[in-house]
Each structure stands twice: as structure tokens, then as C-alpha cells.
Amino acid sequence: MFSGLGRCVVRRPWWIIVVWVVAAGAVISLAPKLTSSSDEASFLPGHYESIRAADVQEEKFPKQRNVGAIIVFERSDGGKLTAADSADVVRVSQDLQAKRTEDVQGVVPGEVSPNKLVQTSVVAMPKITDPEDTSQQDAVEQLREDLKPALDGTDLSAGITGSAAQALDERDASERAGMLVGVGTIAIIVVLLLVIFRSPIIALLPVVLIGLVSPMATGLIASANEAFDLKADSSIQELLTVVLFGVGTDYILFLLFRYREALRAGEDPRGAMVHAVERVGEAITSAAGAVIVAFAALTLSSLGMLRSMGPALAIAVFLTLLAGLTLVPAVVSLLGTKVFWPSKSWQREPHGTGFARLGTSIARRPAVWAVVSALFMGALTLGALGYKANFDLAGSSLPDDKESMVAMRDLEKGFPAGSTDPTSVYLSSTGGEPLTRARTAAFRERLAAVRGVGEVAAPRVSPDGTTASYSVILADPPASDKALSTLKDRLRPAAHDAAPDGSEALVGGTTAVYVDINKAVDRDYSVVFPVAALAIMVILGLLLRSLVAPWYLMLSVALGFGATLGATSLIFQQLGDQPGLMFMLPVIMYLFVVALGTDYNILMVSRLREEAREGRDPHDAAGTAVRHSGPTIGSAGVILAGTFATLMLAGNSTLSQMGFSLSFGIVIAAFVMAAVFTPALTALIGHAAWWPGHGDQKRNGAGGAAPPGPEEEERARRAPRTG
């Protein structure tokens, strides 16, 4: 099949290129655009308590204002606020409200703190349901500009904090980082390809080809949204670009290395490309299949964001696979050996390379290498036991000198830290009878008695009298571990228990959403990961015609994942000062480390099977596979790891965690898992690795002379050719 595909592409390269260009133009011009989603349920299903509480607010308190930001006032000299200062706070708040800034529903001055060091004004903003909507951040930016002149002539200083202010500071901090990371990604790919191949054409090939595929993928995803109601939105664009560059560069490298190997063996350029597609086609198709099912497994997630992300990324990988099997071979076959210009190194195979020595050592002592690599990954995996999820992404990633962080510290001088984003508790009559004042007062007292609760405001009762709304200020920042623990372990149970007969209590707000997301993510880990692993094992079993190999290949992937999570936990939690890792990090690691790590395993084990079919014994097959496939996997791993490592340039702890974990995970997958553990274990298991099929059976049957070993093969290659 792949041999026929290779011949078709090589015979008609211009037709293939024209078809791709026309298809790209049609898709880009005709497909709808990816839009932002305004569906609140795209984060959590409706049965979670925080979403049910939001529904109560919409129904019973449709005009309830949300705290978008907090203006924190204090005296410039650090002293206690006077009556004149409080009058200035009221005046400044009125001046800001009079500006009628878009999305600012009101600027309401609050009480002076008990110790008279701080006074606040609450900036009311509409409830935001679209994560891509930056209008509230823009409103805070305008408020900050208007606040400075409004303070002239007073003894006050002020800063703005709260969720919208933190989002603004995070956006500003990441804009320069985003540009740096984008430029760094392209630069690293180009520079590393230049070092590996010494060819500017190859260095630019992934950038140009993926630049064509990327808008096509976006258009196809948007079309699939309309056809199948997939819900993917523009928030996946950055992740989509990283996936396309990562997977696309891998497939281009796999093909070019095999093409170069065929040229060195004496094939003419066209025949070498047919040979490369034939030999690599099955491997990258299976690898892409593993990545696609890994992404598709996200449809089982309870988080709508992941459910839409999975199919979208699967579409992108499938399109990249098609390009890798058709467009890339067509372009390279047109260029021929000029693709390596000006380097001449493609004409000869280097001797004594590191992977050649590693392959020889693995062939001689597979047990030692298998045990050492397993112990290395296993030891790092122990670090994963200390993993803690962190939801306070802004607080843990923003620099301390950002205005929202400074104002937050000032706020805590006089008020509970949870003042920036109060928790909402709703007490509703289940039978439709109005709530009595005695019951609502008693319920408030019970909430106020919960440890970790700073204060509980007097209830607001709905017009029909059946629902009471309580604004609960927690003692800790809304996204902190302590706040989540307070809500999950004490506030919610207390609210449920204190609800009088014939009524129901629901706890909502930002902290409640984080608690529910944590619960949903834990559920997803127990469902999505096993299903994805099973699907990948099925693909491996079909590729290798074996029931044995898929088990230890997935064991190696699991060890690689555990080692990555463990190393990241050790670096950032134990050795660093981070309270935890970004709560979505294990899922992101799953998307890249597991899926792309399986790519490397498939490439290595496919070469192992190929060498075994040539009649080599398991040890020699492992050594030869490492010698030939090691440089391919190593180069792909270095480029991909370098690409992810650029995230660490952002100066943002969240992106630093992501960059380190992904780059470290790819290094483990390429240089430990695929290059050492998998071939060593396959050599140890021997022929049984292919049971019950005959994946290692020679193509010419059981009889016949064995092919030459690596040394004889090398001498034959160096000998002059005739005819």
C-alpha cells in the first residue's frame, strides 16, 4: 500500500502540490472562522453544584452584580484613615462611576476596615461567560488611567485588584512572553535542523509546509464544528500550532532520515523516496493513529473544553499525516538531493556515532540497560507522589510588583483575602413556600461559624421570597489551596446540613467552580487515561500483530509519564517555592508526552521488527535498530524539546512548569524510553515479543542464509559498486 502511494507521489509531484494548494485555498476561503464560545457549560456539566448555583442566580437574581474588581485605598503615609479620607474615597468612586466606562456597572464605596488602615470600593461588572472576552480587562485598564488624576489633591494612594485586574496583569505580562516564545520556537526549529542536516532548505521546510497546513486545519475544525456541533473555539489556536509544529516536524524528520539512509545505500533519489514512504509510511500512520485516538479519548472528559479540544486536535494530526505521506514526499522528490544543499554529508554514513555505540552496548547487555533505564524512570516517578494541583494561576505566576498583587497585599492589611471574589451561597425553598426571616438568619449564623470564613453579608431575598442569597467572604485568596479546602471540606457540608427542612442550599462562585473542576479532572484521569491507553494498545497490537509487545510498550510510556510528572513536582514544589503545579498540567502532559512518546516507541519498534524480519537475532536487531533509528528519534526529540523549552523564557511560573515538563518528558521519551528501554526489553523478551503472530519472521521464510551482521553490512556499503 505505502509502496504504491510512494510511487504515485514521486511520479506526479506537481499534481500533488497543486491539489494541496487548491485544497488549502478552498478550505481557507470557504470555511467558517473559529469563534469564541459563550456557553458557560463548556467548562462544567450542569449537574455540578457551582453550575446549579449559577443557574439559581440567573433565575432568581438576574440583576445581581458581580465583583469584577476591587479598588483598595490607603493613606500614602501608611496611617489610619480619617473621616476626610473616607469622604475622598466616596468622591473618587463617584467620579469613576460618572466616567461610564464600558462593562463597569457601578463603583460602590465600602466600609473602612476595622483597623482603619484600608477602605475599598467594589467595581461591579456583568457576569462573564466567555473566557476569550477581554472587555473587563480593558475596563480595568481604563479605570487605572482614570484613578491617578482622581487621587490628585488627596492623601490617598490606591490600586486595583480582583479577578479582572489579575487577568489584565497576566495578559500584559504574557504578551511580550508570547512573542518571545513564538520567535524562539521558529528559531530553535530552524537552527537545530541546520545543525543536523546543514541545509537551509530542510531547515525551512517544516516552517513553510506547516504554515500551509495550519490554516487548513483551522478551517476544517471550524467546518466540523458546524457539521457535528463540536464546540471547538478559538482558544485552541495556540495549542493547535504547537501540535502541528511538533507532530509535523517529527514526521518530516522520520521521512528525511529514511530517505537519506536509502540514498547512502545506493538508491537513486526517486527510488529512495519510494523506499522511504514504503518503510516509514506504516510507522508514522500507526503513530498518528495513536496520537489521534489519544486526543479523541478526550471526548469522554466531563469538561466541555477538553471534549471539544480532543476531536479538533485529532483533525489537525490527521491532516498533518496526509501532508507527511504526500505533500512532503512530493516536494522532496522534486528537489532530489538538492534538498540537502550545500551539505554533502548525505553521501556517506558517519562511523562511530553515539547511537552506534549505544546500539552495540544494548545488543551485548540488554538486561543491564533495561534495568538501569527502568530504575531511572521509576525513581523519578516516586516524585509524582508529592504532586499537588494549584488553581491560583495568577497569584503563583504574576510578578510581585504587578498592581493587582500589590493591591491584594494592601487589602489583606484590613480585610479577609477572599474579599476580591466572594463565594455565593443560595438557600432555596423546595416547596415554593417563602423563606422566613428566622430561618435565613439562623442559616447565616451557621455559615459565619465555619472555620475559614471571614464574614457573611446579610442575605438578599428574591422577589418571590423563595430564595436567599448570601455573599460569603473567605479568609484566604479565592483560588488558594486553603480556600478550596474551606469550601470543599467545611463550607459546603455546613451549608447542606444547615438547610432547614423543605429547602436546599447550593454553594457557587469562583472557588466553588475550582473545587468542581478539581473533581471533574480527577474523574477524567480515571476514565480518559485508561481508555486512551487501551485504544493505543489496540493500534500497537494491530501494527505488530502481537499481544505481548503492546503491554511493555505501554509500560514504558507510563514510566515516561510518571517520571515527567515526578521530576516536575520535585523541581517546582520540593526544590522550588511553588504551592503546586498547574491543575491542567497532567492532562497537557498526557496530550504531548504520552501521545508523542508513543510516536517514538512505534518508530523504534517498527525498525526492530524490520531488522528481525531480515533474519537478525533479537539482540542484533535491537542494536541495529538503535543505530539507525536512534539519530532520527534523538533529532526529533531535541527539536521538540527545544520548542517546548522556549516556554520557560516567558518568566511566568505557569508557563515555566509547562515548558519544563513537556521538554523533559520529550527528552525522556526519546532518549530513555524509545532509545534504551524499549529496544533493550525487546531484545530480552526475544521472539516471544511478537507472539502469537510472526512479526519477526524473515520475509523469505525460515530457510536461507542469514543476512550479514552489522560489521559485514558496513563493509559491503563501503565497497565500490558496479553496474
Side-chain angles (χ1 to χ4, degrees):
M1 169 184 171
F2 291 103
S3 176
L5 176 63
R7 285 193 295 271
C8 177
V9 170
V10 167
R11 286 172 184 167
R12 301 174 181 84
W14 281 113
W15 281 103
I16 299 295
I17 294 171
V18 168
V19 168
W20 269 95
V21 171
V22 171
V27 170
I28 295 170
S29 61
L30 299 177
K33 294 186 179 296
L34 278 178
T35 58
S36 298
S37 171
S38 59
D39 182 7
E40 182 181 61
S42 64
F43 297 95
L44 284 168
H47 67 269
Y48 281 96
E49 185 171 339
S50 57
I51 303 301
R52 291 165 58 204
D55 292 339
V56 171
Q57 176 188 333
E58 288 292 329
E59 179 184 356
K60 299 294 185 179
F61 303 94
K63 296 183 179 180
Q64 178 174 321
R65 293 178 172 181
N66 295 279
V67 178
I70 302 279
I71 306 176
V72 183
F73 296 91
E74 62 177 349
R75 282 187 62 86
S76 302
D77 59 9
K80 293 186 177 182
L81 294 167
T82 65
D85 294 329
S86 292
D88 285 335
V89 169
V90 173
R91 179 188 57 78
V92 169
S93 301
Q94 291 173 343
D95 289 347
L96 293 176
Q97 182 164 332
K99 297 285 187 181
R100 298 187 180 277
T101 303
E102 186 177 356
D103 268 1
V104 174
Q105 297 174 323
V107 183
V108 183
E111 299 294 326
V112 180
S113 65
N115 59 11
K116 297 189 181 300
L117 292 178
V118 178
Q119 186 171 356
T120 62
S121 284
V122 174
V123 181
M125 293 181 171
K127 182 181 177 184
I128 187 168
T129 58
D130 181 3
E132 295 297 297
D133 186 357
T134 62
S135 58
Q136 293 192 2
Q137 300 168 32
D138 297 336
V140 171
E141 189 170 30
Q142 185 62 49
L143 284 173
R144 284 177 173 171
E145 290 183 8
D146 295 337
L147 180 61
K148 293 176 183 177
L151 292 173
D152 289 344
T154 71
D155 295 322
L156 299 172
S157 63
I160 303 179
T161 187
S163 56
Q166 287 185 335
L168 171 63
D169 288 341
E170 196 167 8
R171 183 184 74 182
D172 292 344
S174 63
E175 280 180 355
R176 178 178 173 275
M179 183 180 298
L180 185 64
V181 168
V183 173
T185 297
I186 301 298
I188 281 185
I189 290 176
V190 171
V191 168
L192 290 178
L193 284 174
L194 275 173
V195 171
I196 294 167
F197 288 99
R198 302 180 182 89
S199 165
I201 297 175
I202 291 178
L204 294 174
L205 194 61
V207 177
V208 174
L209 295 183
I210 294 168
L212 175 68
V213 171
S214 180
M216 281 187 72
T218 303
L220 288 176
I221 292 166
S223 298
N225 274 354
E226 290 194 351
F228 304 105
D229 195 28
L230 289 184
K231 308 289 188 187
D233 65 19
S234 57
S235 64
I236 69 163
Q237 193 65 57
E238 281 188 21
L239 191 59
L240 187 67
T241 301
V242 175
V243 168
L244 286 169
F245 270 102
V247 175
T249 303
D250 274 3
Y251 295 166
I252 291 172
L253 281 176
F254 294 167
L255 190 76
L256 285 176
F257 267 93
R258 201 57 187 258
Y259 176 61
R260 187 174 68 178
E261 184 181 331
L263 289 173
R264 286 171 173 171
E267 296 264 11
D268 66 273
R270 295 169 70 88
M273 181 51 66
V274 174
H275 174 88
V277 174
E278 177 187 5
R279 294 302 177 95
V280 175
E282 185 179 20
I284 67 172
T285 300
S286 301
V291 176
I292 288 169
V293 299
F295 288 160
L298 291 176
T299 57
L300 301 175
S301 170
S302 57
L303 295 173
M305 178 177 61
L306 295 181
R307 283 201 308 274
S308 62
M309 181 191 299
L313 295 179
I315 290 171
V317 172
F318 179 72
L319 189 65
T320 307
L321 171 65
L322 290 181
L325 293 175
T326 57
L327 181 60
V328 176
V331 172
V332 175
S333 66
L334 279 176
L335 295 171
T337 57
K338 294 184 179 66
V339 75
F340 299 106
W341 180 87
S343 172
K344 302 292 185 182
S345 62
W346 63 269
Q347 297 175 346
R348 58 193 180 279
E349 185 170 358
H351 304 288
T353 64
F355 281 106
R357 292 192 294 270
L358 176 63
T360 300
S361 182
I362 289 175
R364 290 174 179 170
R365 302 179 184 85
V368 172
W369 283 102
V371 170
V372 168
S373 57
L375 288 176
F376 174 73
M377 290 188 289
L380 287 177
T381 299
L382 294 176
L385 298 176
Y387 164 75
K388 288 177 61 179
N390 177 33
F391 291 87
D392 188 11
L393 302 185
S396 63
S397 61
L398 282 174
D400 290 340
D401 60 350
K402 284 293 183 180
E403 182 174 330
S404 61
M405 302 303 293
V406 174
M408 171 66 77
R409 291 194 297 272
D410 292 339
L411 176 71
E412 293 175 2
K413 296 176 183 177
F415 292 104
S419 301
T420 59
D421 200 344
T423 293
S424 300
V425 180
Y426 300 95
L427 180 66
S428 301
S429 171
T430 55
E433 301 87 0
L435 297 170
T436 65
R437 180 172 296 182
R439 285 189 167 188
T440 58
F443 186 75
R444 178 191 181 193
E445 290 179 4
R446 181 69 183 274
L447 295 180
V450 173
R451 180 165 55 89
V453 170
E455 61 181 76
V456 181
R460 297 176 61 234
V461 181
S462 61
D464 62 5
T466 61
T467 303
S469 170
Y470 299 82
S471 179
V472 179
I473 296 177
L474 302 180
D476 302 292
S480 66
D481 285 343
K482 290 182 178 179
L484 268 64
S485 178
T486 295
L487 191 141
K488 176 185 175 183
D489 300 330
R490 296 186 291 277
L491 181 57
R492 262 188 179 165
H496 296 162
D497 292 343
D501 293 339
S503 65
E504 178 188 37
L506 295 174
V507 180
T510 300
T511 307
V513 168
Y514 287 148
V515 168
D516 289 342
I517 287 178
N518 199 14
K519 187 188 302 182
V521 169
D522 287 343
R523 176 262 178 199
D524 288 351
Y525 291 160
S526 64
V527 174
V528 176
F529 284 14
V531 169
L534 181 61
I536 292 173
M537 286 182 68
V538 169
I539 288 178
L540 290 172
L542 293 174
L543 169 67
L544 304 174
R545 282 78 168 172
S546 168
L547 295 178
V548 176
W551 287 98
Y552 68 81
L553 291 177
M554 290 309 299
L555 170 64
S556 70
V557 169
L559 282 172
F561 176 84
T564 303
L565 182 59
T568 308
S569 299
L570 288 171
I571 293 294
F572 288 93
Q573 290 181 203
Q574 273 70 43
L575 300 180
D577 58 355
Q578 297 298 310
L581 303 181
M582 181 180 64
F583 71 96
M584 288 291 289
L585 191 60
V587 175
I588 294 171
M589 285 169 47
Y590 155 77
L591 289 175
F592 292 99
V593 177
V594 172
L596 296 177
T598 302
D599 270 14
Y600 300 152
N601 252 352
I602 288 176
L603 187 70
M604 178 58 74
V605 82
S606 295
R607 188 61 186 248
L608 275 162
R609 181 187 61 177
E610 184 180 326
E611 298 300 334
R613 281 178 172 174
E614 296 297 328
R616 290 184 172 83
D617 66 63
H619 287 216
D620 283 343
T624 305
V626 171
R627 179 160 65 97
H628 286 298
S629 290
T632 309
I633 294 171
S635 299
V638 167
I639 290 174
L640 199 56
T643 299
F644 287 133
T646 58
L647 293 172
M648 299 177 68
L649 301 174
N652 176 309
S653 66
T654 299
L655 291 178
S656 294
Q657 290 175 15
M658 191 185 304
F660 173 83
S661 64
L662 295 181
S663 58
F664 184 84
I666 293 298
V667 168
I668 289 289
F671 292 96
V672 181
M673 184 181 77
V676 177
F677 184 76
T678 293
L681 203 55
T682 304
L684 277 178
I685 297 174
H687 298 290
W690 313 102
W691 183 88
H694 302 283
D696 62 339
Q697 189 176 34
K698 288 190 291 185
R699 294 177 185 274
N700 61 344
E711 294 79 6
E712 290 81 4
E713 181 187 63
E714 192 60 42
R715 283 196 294 270
R717 287 185 178 180
R718 296 172 63 185
R721 296 182 181 274
T722 60

